[in-house]
Amino acid sequence: MELTEEKDDANAKLPVFEKVSYAFTDMAGNLLYVSMSSYILYFYTDVFGIPVSSAGMIILLACIVDAVSAIFWGSIVDHTHTKWGQSRPYFLWLAVPFAVTTFLAFTAPNLSGTAKLLYAGITYILAAGVIYTGIQTTISAVLPNLTLNASERIGANSFRMVGSLIGSFVTSTFTLPLVAILGKGNDKVGFMITIALFGVAAVILLLTAFKNMRERVPVSTKSISLKQSMKATVGNIPWFLLVVSFSIFWIAQSDRNSFSTYYAKYNLGNPELAAVFNGLQVLGVISSISIPFIVKITNKTATMLIGLAIGAVGQAMMAMVGGNFALVIVSWCVGVLGSALAMSMPFAMLADTVDYGEWKSGIRAAGFLTAVGSAFCIQLGSGFGSFIPSKILDAAGFVAHQQQTAHASAAISFCFIWLPVIIYAIVGLIMVFYFKYEKMEPQIKAELLQRAEARD
C-alpha cells in the first residue's frame, strides 16, 4: 500500500489553487461538450443537412456506445498507477485528442447519403464518447482520491460546478454569435473556427489542472480487474440510486439545452434568444456557490430535492407566460437555478458511494463507480434527451427552416417545457430513498480511516 503522489493526510483540507484547478477540468470539458450537447442536433439539421429523425438516431446510437465505453474507462482508471496518480495523468494525455475530435465533429465536409451519416456518427462517437467520456470519468474519479474530508469534497465539487457553468456560459452565449461573425454568413466555416478556438482554450485549462492537482487518498498499487470493480457495486444501493436518477435527470438536461434553440427560433420567432437562454445558464454559479451552505443547513439529498422542485417551478412558469419575452426569461432563470443545484449534487455524492463500496466489499473502485455514475449517466441520458424529443418532433411533422404547423409548435413546447417537469418529478421520487444512506456516511468514513491505519 502506498499513497498516490505524496504521503499527504488523506483527510486533508485542499488549497484554494487546487480547487480552482479542479474547476478548470469541467470548464474545459464544457467548452467543448456543451457545444455538442446544445448545438450538434441543430448543426446536423440546419447546417449539415441531415434529417431530424436521422440526426436523433445518430446521437442516440453514439451515446449508447459512449455510455458503454464509460464502463471500460472506469476500469482503465482503476488499472492506472503512475507517479502522477490514477486520474490526473489523463488530463494531460486526452487534452489534445479531445479538442481535435470535437473540431472534426463540427466539420461539414461535402458528403451525401450514407457517407454523410457515417461521418457524423463516427466523429460524434470519437468526440462526445470515447474522448470526452475519458475526460468526464477522470474528472469525477479524481475527487474521492483528493481527500476523505466530506466538507472539502463538497467545497471542491462546488468549485468544479462553478467552472462547469462558466464553460457552459462561454459556449452557450458566444457560440452562435461567433459562428455568425467568424463565418461571415457561412455557418459551416463559422462552426469550424469557433470550435477550434474553444479547443485551444480547453487544452490550456486541462494542462493547468494536471500541473496543479494532487491525489492523496491511499490507493493500492495492485490493479483491480473489471470483475473486481463490479464487486464494489454489490449491495451498493446508494450508488444504484444515483446511477438511475442521474441518467434520467440528464434526459431533461440535454432536452432543455438542445431545445432552447428550437423554441426560440420556431415558437418565439427570435433565434437570437437561444444565445440568451444558454448564456443565462451562468446563473447556476449562484446555486453552486450556495451548495455548501444549503448542505450544512439540510443535507445533500434534501439539497438535490430542493433543486428539482425549483427547476420544475421555473419550467411550469414558462408555460404560463406565453410569448412575453421578459417573463419567459425570468421563468428560465428560475429553472436554471434549480437545475444547476440538482445537477451538482450527484457528482459530490458519487464520492461517498465509492467509500460505501469500499466499506461494503473491501474494494475501492473509484474509477469504475464514478465512471458509470457520471460519464455513463451523462452519455446515456443525453442520448435519450436528444432521441426522444427528435422522435416527438418527427411525429409532429417538424421540417427545418419552415413555418411550423400548430402540431409541430405544440411538440416543441412540450419537449422544452413539460418533459423536464415530468422527469424532475421521477428523479425526486427516486432520490427520497437516498436519505437513509447519507446518514451512514460519518460512520463509514471513520471505519475506512481505521482500516487504513491498521494496514499501515
Side-chain angles (χ1 to χ4, degrees):
M1 177 71 65
E2 64 179 23
L3 293 181
T4 304
E5 181 77 18
E6 298 175 358
K7 291 185 177 180
D8 292 330
D9 182 10
N11 211 34
K13 297 191 69 172
L14 303 179
V16 173
F17 79 87
E18 189 167 349
K19 293 178 181 178
V20 171
S21 297
Y22 188 44
F24 286 169
T25 61
D26 233 3
M27 188 185 300
N30 276 359
L31 277 176
L32 297 178
Y33 183 71
V34 170
S35 299
M36 290 183 279
S37 63
S38 295
Y39 298 115
I40 199 68
L41 184 60
Y42 175 78
F43 176 80
Y44 284 163
T45 59
D46 289 41
V47 179
F48 205 6
I50 296 176
V52 65
S53 59
S54 299
M57 183 61 71
I58 287 172
I59 295 172
L60 174 64
L61 291 176
C63 285
I64 290 174
V65 172
D66 302 342
V68 173
S69 75
I71 297 173
F72 294 97
W73 269 114
S75 182
I76 290 170
V77 171
D78 286 334
H79 275 79
T80 302
H81 300 287
T82 74
K83 63 181 180 180
W84 300 312
Q86 280 192 318
S87 300
R88 188 163 66 99
Y90 289 98
F91 302 148
L92 170 66
W93 298 335
L94 296 181
V96 173
F98 184 35
V100 171
T101 53
T102 306
F103 172 79
L104 292 175
F106 279 98
T107 300
N110 187 22
L111 300 172
S112 61
T114 303
K116 178 183 289 189
L117 298 180
L118 285 173
Y119 178 86
I122 291 170
T123 54
Y124 188 86
I125 288 173
L126 286 174
V130 176
I131 306 300
Y132 176 71
T133 301
I135 294 283
Q136 180 62 39
T137 295
T138 50
I139 291 173
S140 297
V142 78
L143 179 58
N145 289 348
L146 295 179
T147 179
L148 283 174
N149 188 308
S151 61
E152 287 299 300
R153 285 178 175 178
I154 292 291
N157 190 67
S158 294
F159 271 83
R160 172 193 175 179
M161 289 297 104
V162 170
S164 171
L165 289 164
I166 292 174
S168 296
F169 169 74
V170 172
T171 300
S172 301
T173 303
F174 298 110
T175 295
L176 292 182
L178 283 174
V179 167
I181 294 170
L182 298 176
K184 298 178 180 178
N186 187 332
D187 284 353
K188 291 183 180 181
V189 173
F191 267 106
M192 289 173 64
I193 298 175
T194 300
I195 299 303
L197 293 175
F198 290 162
V200 171
V203 169
I204 294 172
L205 290 168
L206 286 171
L207 294 182
T208 302
F210 164 76
K211 180 178 181 294
N212 291 337
M213 294 175 66
R214 298 291 182 270
E215 296 182 43
R216 300 171 178 80
V217 175
V219 177
S220 173
T221 56
K222 183 179 179 181
S223 294
I224 302 174
S225 68
L226 179 58
K227 183 178 180 180
Q228 287 176 307
S229 295
M230 293 181 69
K231 286 182 179 179
T233 69
V234 177
N236 198 336
I237 298 176
W239 180 79
F240 280 107
L241 290 173
L242 282 183
V243 168
V244 173
S245 61
F246 207 29
S247 296
I248 298 172
F249 175 84
W250 268 94
I251 296 176
Q253 193 69 6
S254 176
D255 171 55
R256 289 176 78 251
N257 289 341
S258 60
F259 266 72
S260 62
T261 305
Y262 290 93
Y263 189 74
K265 180 176 180 178
Y266 296 109
N267 286 37
L268 298 179
N270 186 355
E272 290 75 21
L273 192 58
V276 177
F277 276 142
N278 292 326
L280 287 170
Q281 298 275 17
V282 75
L283 290 176
V285 168
I286 298 172
S287 297
S288 297
I289 293 173
S290 69
I291 285 174
F293 305 101
I294 300 175
V295 170
K296 189 174 182 179
I297 296 171
T298 58
N299 56 45
K300 286 173 284 191
T301 309
T303 301
M304 185 171 179
L305 293 175
I306 290 169
L308 292 168
I310 294 173
V313 168
Q315 292 293 123
M317 286 170 59
M318 278 191 287
M320 302 174 186
V321 300
N324 187 311
F325 286 176
L327 294 179
V328 167
I329 293 300
V330 170
S331 303
W332 174 254
C333 289
V334 173
V336 165
L337 292 172
S339 65
L341 192 62
M343 180 180 67
S344 300
M345 296 315 301
F347 292 109
M349 297 161 87
L350 274 171
D352 300 316
T353 68
V354 172
D355 297 337
Y356 189 95
E358 183 181 6
W359 176 73
K360 193 81 173 177
S361 66
I363 299 171
R364 188 172 185 83
F368 180 82
L369 294 180
T370 57
V372 177
S374 59
F376 175 88
C377 296
I378 291 171
Q379 296 291 2
L380 189 65
S382 295
F384 280 101
S386 294
F387 176 74
I388 294 172
S390 72
K391 286 300 180 183
I392 293 173
L393 281 198
D394 189 43
F398 170 83
V399 180
H401 302 300
Q402 301 288 329
Q403 179 71 33
Q404 302 303 317
T405 65
H407 196 36
S409 294
I412 292 173
S413 293
F414 172 79
C415 291
F416 182 62
I417 295 174
W418 291 112
L419 186 56
V421 174
I422 296 170
I423 291 171
Y424 290 163
I426 294 172
V427 173
L429 289 173
I430 295 171
M431 286 306 299
V432 166
F433 295 97
Y434 196 92
F435 277 112
K436 64 177 290 187
Y437 299 101
E438 184 172 354
K439 293 178 181 178
M440 299 171 61
E441 289 170 8
Q443 171 198 346
I444 290 171
K445 288 178 172 60
E447 290 188 18
L448 290 179
L449 283 173
Q450 289 174 358
R451 292 180 192 178
E453 291 172 359
R455 286 194 296 266
D456 292 339

